[in-house]
Amino acid sequence: MDSVSPSVTQPEQRVDQPSTISTVRDLYERHYVRLVRLAVLLVGDVGRAEEIVQDAFVDLVARWRTIRDPGAAVFYLRRCVANGARSHLRHRGVVKRHPIRQPPDMSSAETEAMVQIEHERVLSMLSQLPGRQREVLVLRYYGQLSEAEIADTLGISRGAVKSHSFRGLRSLRTAMEAKR
Amino acid sequence: MTVDHLDDDQVGERLAQILQNEAHTVEVGDAWALVASRLLVSDGPGAGLSPVGSTRRHRRVLGEVAVGVGVVGVAAAMVVAVVLGWRPAALSPAPVAPAAWSVPAYDAAIPTMVVYRTTAGRYPYIAPRAGGRTTFTLTPERMRTDSSEVGRAALDALMDTAPVQPGNINWLEQVIPQKIDINSVTVSDGLIRVDLNAFASQVFPAPEAQVMAQAWVRTLQDTLGVRDDVLITLRGRPFWLYYAIDTTKPLTRDESVRVIRPDGFDSPRNGDVVARTLVLLGSATSAPGRPVRMQILDLDTGAIPYQQEVPGPADRAATVDFAPVLTLEPGRYRATLSGHGAVEGVQDVTFTVS
């Protein structure tokens, strides 16, 4: 999991603007790329993902004075990204990032091609999962978050995280096992 | 064809690998300039940084623009347009600033704004500004004003422009509005204190931001006629000027900043109606061994009531400032500057004496 610089903020420390900008810049350099990629996996669109993450950084600054925990900044960013992605998908209504592609002629398929087929199939299945299941799986298997962290990020119970994870994996297993 | 039976751990491992592979196909550009440009100062008293709203459909454009501005800014090479106050004609080297400045004494009876600007160099640029303020101007400025708060007026004039590259930059101004409101300009305790109410700007690379900061310093010092350092605050607190310069400490004049003084008339402007007694302010750059000339032609009679020619140094270019005090009869006149510098050839303005 990403670490946070101790200099992010200190309790009761007055955050003046130069130090705020400097700290946000530091957070940006540490986490921006990874957050964008996380968002891409959630919404399937690079441009939208960038907007969501940039919004998260701007929102972070707006709430800077209320952040007391040094680790809260990254947590806040991640939660903003998850919420932003969900909001976007709710607005869009459907995810069509990874349309199911027709597999190549099996008679000429090499191992690499089969791996690629599985890759596409899994991503396609992932994009069609219910939103919560997709969020849980991406945060867990790309974000490397624990169940507790996922629960905090998404604002749901740990039991719900387990349930979404179980169901999501079951669906993906089908995609992975099919015609291997 | 085989069918594998995978447990949860195996599915998870494969999913993690697939997600990693997929994520690494995503090219992510640097968007710090855009993020920083959205961190504006909120309006509430004592407020810290807060975001400014922007419609999403504009954000990608803004990002490209902000990055573009940065690139353009670097390419523009921070040429500073220097405009001096009222002073007699004198030779000074160009384009490097002179080692010592002759600071005109501030005379409240003759308010003079001395506005330093970054500029695109060769091309004075004037274009209408859609929305917001009416005119975006990048010209030499050595303006006289009737403002009783000359320092503040000078800064306001400075903030009316931004460093630009020749070409169509008007649309940049539209999508990245500048917002710099000045609360006060005071001189006390050996400091020129400028307090802002709001500051929002394009994001400039640090070197260019330094030049912009020097524009503030020189404008204030030469307008007010003092050499005190400049302490800039935002509602009484330090901040990041142009998101690059920490204003915790006062800004000091840096003579090493490369500057030029653009040629042309500063006053009067084309079409002005002026009083019988006036000061013509203008600059022209000579080529090595070549003279520069200011001439005034009476368009009604064909007479030449004023003409001055100044020979330039034989071994280098030099900028000549003209500031003759004249009393003219009512009528229409054309003033002409001839030089060989940044604005080559002849510059003229037509004005009316009432």
Side-chain angles (χ1 to χ4, degrees), chain A residues 18 28 55 58 173 177 180, chain B residues 2 6 8 14 30-31 51 240:
Chain A
Y28 168 87
D55 285 349
V58 175
R173 181 184 297 113
E177 291 179 348
R180 287 180 57 87
Chain B
T2 62
L6 305 172
D8 279 358
R14 290 188 182 182
D30 185 0
W240 285 101

Side-chain angles (χ1 to χ4, degrees), chain B residues 132-171:
Chain B
R133 285 169 286 193
T134 53
T135 304
F136 174 78
T137 307
L138 185 68
T139 61
E141 291 293 343
R142 183 165 51 190
M143 302 164 62
R144 302 182 68 193
T145 174
D146 57 1
S147 168
S148 59
E149 300 179 64
V150 179
R152 180 172 175 168
L155 272 185
D156 281 337
L158 173 67
M159 292 304 108
D160 275 344
T161 67
V164 295
Q165 183 78 346
N168 180 16
I169 47 74
N170 194 39
W171 61 282

Side-chain angles (χ1 to χ4, degrees), chain B residues 44-65:
Chain B
L49 291 170
S50 67
V52 66
S54 172
T55 54
R56 286 194 165 189
R57 66 178 180 275
H58 288 162
R59 285 176 186 156
R60 204 173 312 170
V61 175
L62 281 168
E64 293 165 358
V65 168

